[in-house]
Amino acid sequence: MSRVANGIRSTGHPLSGNLFTELQSDILRGRLKQGEKLSEQQICDRYGLSRTPVREAFRQLELEGLIETIPNRGAYVLGLSERDLSDLFEMRKAYEVLAVKWAIERITEEEQEKLEEAYEFMEFYTMKGEADKMLNINMQFHNLIYKASHNRMLEHTLSTYQLYLKETESNSAYLDGHLEQVLMEHKKIFDAFVSKDPEAGAVAVAAHLDNAKARSK
Amino acid sequence: MSRVANGIRSTGHPLSGNLFTELQSDILRGRLKQGEKLSEQQICDRYGLSRTPVREAFRQLELEGLIETIPNRGAYVLGLSERDLSDLFEMRKAYEVLAVKWAIERITEEEQEKLEEAYEFMEFYTMKGEADKMLNINMQFHNLIYKASHNRMLEHTLSTYQLYLKETESNSAYLDGHLEQVLMEHKKIFDAFVSKDPEAGAVAVAAHLDNAKARSK
DNA sequence: AATTGTATTCTTGTATACAATTATAGGCGT
DNA sequence: ACGCCTATAATTGTATACAAGAATACAATT
């Protein structure tokens, strides 16, 4: 089955299944600006597709709140303001707390093994001081928790938020010089999985995200 | 502008803009069952539409997590389990708390007037003992808070959750005999708007939703 | 000069046609 | 009878064609 994380389908045409993702990224990165009109034909020409897949992508972007479509008039980019992003961080925190609680209650053995493996990679990269690899494994660690929560909507929403924050933030090296600190925060989270203590996990995740926000400033 | 609450567009054809809503409702109400295959042609025949609008609706349902589509194979109903709904309630609570906090900080005068008006209707219907009208105004009251949070995504998500829980729950008369209690809970929420105390609002909303969950059992 | 009415053009909404992939059924051999 | 292969049918993915509504330009009138 060729299904990828975010429910993105990869089909024959090189861009068809990814058009939604492509436009999403363009909006989040600011390549498409607030208020800009998105003509279907224009997108067709740019990506070499017909209107059918373009319209499907538009409907999805509309549902995600990234564009607004007015009947018989067209689609307009909405984008995210600074406050939207700040809000998104809080929304993410609220859901991460739920996710870790449920994950600790519901995680399977295989999933916990993968989480342990991810944590061990974090230890390794911290030792080696590789901040960029740390960023990647950090994302994986959190995604494993989302999956272990065994709630499709929560998993999907948190993955989307992660993408939004990743695409917009300039967190290229925001954890340089904080690697040990970050590792310690994840250790507390992982420990909560070992001791099967949802409340401890919730506290650890909330603290981790608060610190992450402070670091990104 | 003919745009409705949930971003639903109403166009020429009687069902086109509502097909997504229609299928959403069918899945939530259990008319379309878990695992059932959704053939595009079958939906076209049933609703008298061509495949283009049907596919657009499918893409949206997929994004909402109500169906799963496998490339070149088709769409399958996912539906919501008992645990999913219980989880949804918790997710809603987490977001309602954020919404009320932000709403208290950001509400405009006009919005607060509308909220007050809604609350006064609640007092009126409580006095008259009209439980069904109370259910409606209750929804409106919460929707006004969502809107006053001035965060599109939060507003949209909470509206969707409200729909999900409303469509699935059999809360026809779950607040019969609890009208005074429900009114009191909303008074505490509204008071927090008057005194502009976000934390008090958060506490009041959390308590209200916990009680609502207890009542629905 | 400003405004209103109209015709034209452009864009979206929907339907249909074609291509590609997958499922199915029947025949063949073992 | 069972499994495998091939041919056919069915379904999805994409492109194009047609219909309906909105925006624009322009002329006529005040």
Side-chain angles (χ1 to χ4, degrees), chain A residues 83 87, chain B residues 98-104 106-107 111 143-152 154-155 158:
Chain A
R83 195 178 75 182
D87 285 1
Chain B
L98 286 179
V100 78
K101 279 203 265 189
W102 290 334
I104 290 174
R106 302 169 185 174
I107 195 167
E111 285 169 342
N143 275 318
L144 287 170
I145 294 178
Y146 306 160
K147 200 168 271 302
S149 77
H150 290 271
N151 182 303
R152 285 194 317 273
L154 190 61
E155 182 190 347
L158 279 170

Side-chain angles (χ1 to χ4, degrees), chain B residues 112-171:
Chain B
Q112 180 130 358
E113 279 166 24
K114 280 187 192 169
L115 194 68
E116 182 171 9
E117 194 180 2
Y119 174 70
E120 282 165 359
F121 268 106
M122 294 187 94
E123 283 185 323
F124 179 70
Y125 289 132
T126 300
M127 213 177 60
K128 300 257 285 183
E130 299 191 43
D132 51 338
K133 299 238 177 184
M134 191 69 165
L135 217 75
N136 258 315
I137 201 73
N138 178 35
M139 265 180 54
Q140 280 181 47
F141 184 87
H142 285 273
N143 275 318
L144 287 170
I145 294 178
Y146 306 160
K147 200 168 271 302
S149 77
H150 290 271
N151 182 303
R152 285 194 317 273
M153 295 181 85
L154 190 61
E155 182 190 347
H156 172 258
T157 304
L158 279 170
S159 298
T160 305
Y161 288 176
Q162 193 183 63
L163 178 74
Y164 280 22
L165 293 168
K166 180 188 151 207
E167 291 275 333
T168 50
E169 271 175 12
S170 56
N171 60 7

Side-chain angles (χ1 to χ4, degrees), chain A residues 11 13 16 50-52 72-73:
Chain A
T11 67
H13 193 105
S16 88
S50 72
R51 284 178 56 219
T52 309
N72 292 312
R73 299 231 344 232

Side-chain angles (χ1 to χ4, degrees), chain A residues 149-183:
Chain A
S149 76
H150 291 270
N151 182 306
R152 285 194 319 272
M153 297 181 84
L154 189 61
E155 182 189 346
H156 172 258
T157 304
L158 280 169
S159 299
T160 305
Y161 289 175
Q162 192 183 63
L163 177 76
Y164 281 21
L165 293 168
K166 180 187 152 207
E167 292 274 332
T168 50
E169 270 175 12
S170 55
N171 60 6
S172 48
Y174 87 94
L175 42 70
D176 250 344
H178 300 281
L179 258 52
E180 283 84 2
Q181 171 68 17
V182 170
L183 180 69

Side-chain angles (χ1 to χ4, degrees), chain B residues 8-33:
Chain B
I8 304 309
R9 292 159 301 108
S10 63
T11 68
H13 191 105
L15 262 167
S16 89
N18 301 333
L19 180 59
F20 166 64
T21 308
E22 190 73 23
L23 292 173
Q24 195 182 40
S25 169
D26 284 348
I27 294 172
L28 294 171
R29 287 213 145 101
R31 282 181 36 130
L32 295 172
K33 284 160 201 156

Side-chain angles (χ1 to χ4, degrees), chain A:
Chain A
M1 161 148 76
S2 62
R3 220 162 164 273
V4 197
N6 233 4
I8 305 309
R9 291 158 304 108
S10 63
T11 67
H13 193 105
L15 262 167
S16 88
N18 300 333
L19 180 60
F20 166 65
T21 308
E22 191 75 22
L23 293 173
Q24 194 182 42
S25 169
D26 284 349
I27 294 173
L28 294 171
R29 287 212 144 101
R31 282 180 35 133
L32 296 172
K33 284 159 201 154
Q34 175 86 27
E36 186 168 339
K37 164 130 198 220
L38 288 188
S39 151
E40 292 177 1
Q41 195 55 54
Q42 162 200 345
I43 301 296
C44 291
D45 296 343
R46 187 188 305 170
Y47 293 98
L49 288 165
S50 72
R51 284 178 56 219
T52 309
V54 170
R55 284 179 63 86
E56 289 177 8
F58 275 27
R59 288 296 90 75
Q60 293 185 301
L61 291 168
E62 184 182 19
L63 204 61
E64 291 253 300
L66 293 178
I67 65 173
E68 178 185 29
T69 71
I70 303 173
N72 292 312
R73 299 231 344 232
Y76 298 85
V77 176
L78 286 177
L80 297 176
S81 69
E82 278 299 313
R83 195 178 75 182
D84 287 336
L85 287 173
S86 164
D87 285 1
L88 203 57
F89 211 96
E90 290 298 313
M91 290 163 74
R92 180 199 180 186
K93 188 171 112 183
Y95 270 13
E96 287 260 3
V97 165
L98 286 180
V100 76
K101 278 203 265 189
W102 289 333
I104 289 174
E105 291 169 0
R106 301 169 185 175
I107 195 167
T108 66
E109 278 189 32
E110 296 104 305
E111 286 168 341
Q112 179 130 357
E113 279 166 24
K114 281 187 190 169
L115 194 68
E116 182 170 11
E117 195 180 1
Y119 175 70
E120 282 164 359
F121 269 107
M122 295 188 94
E123 282 185 323
F124 178 71
Y125 289 132
T126 301
M127 212 176 63
K128 301 257 285 183
E130 298 191 43
D132 51 339
K133 298 240 179 184
M134 192 68 164
L135 216 73
N136 258 315
I137 200 75
N138 178 35
M139 266 181 52
Q140 281 182 46
F141 184 87
H142 285 272
N143 274 318
L144 285 170
I145 293 178
Y146 306 160
K147 200 169 271 300
S149 76
H150 291 270
N151 182 306
R152 285 194 319 272
M153 297 181 84
L154 189 61
E155 182 189 346
H156 172 258
T157 304
L158 280 169
S159 299
T160 305
Y161 289 175
Q162 192 183 63
L163 177 76
Y164 281 21
L165 293 168
K166 180 187 152 207
E167 292 274 332
T168 50
E169 270 175 12
S170 55
N171 60 6
S172 48
Y174 87 94
L175 42 70
D176 250 344
H178 300 281
L179 258 52
E180 283 84 2
Q181 171 68 17
V182 170
L183 180 69
M184 181 76 85
E185 288 168 21
H186 283 88
K187 177 165 169 44
K188 282 191 182 149
I189 297 172
F190 181 67
D191 283 347
F193 276 87
V194 174
S195 59
K196 304 214 173 298
D197 185 342
E199 283 312 313
V203 170
V205 161
H208 168 52
L209 290 177
D210 284 338
N211 292 334
K213 185 164 195 176
R215 277 193 293 272
S216 73
K217 277 178 184 165

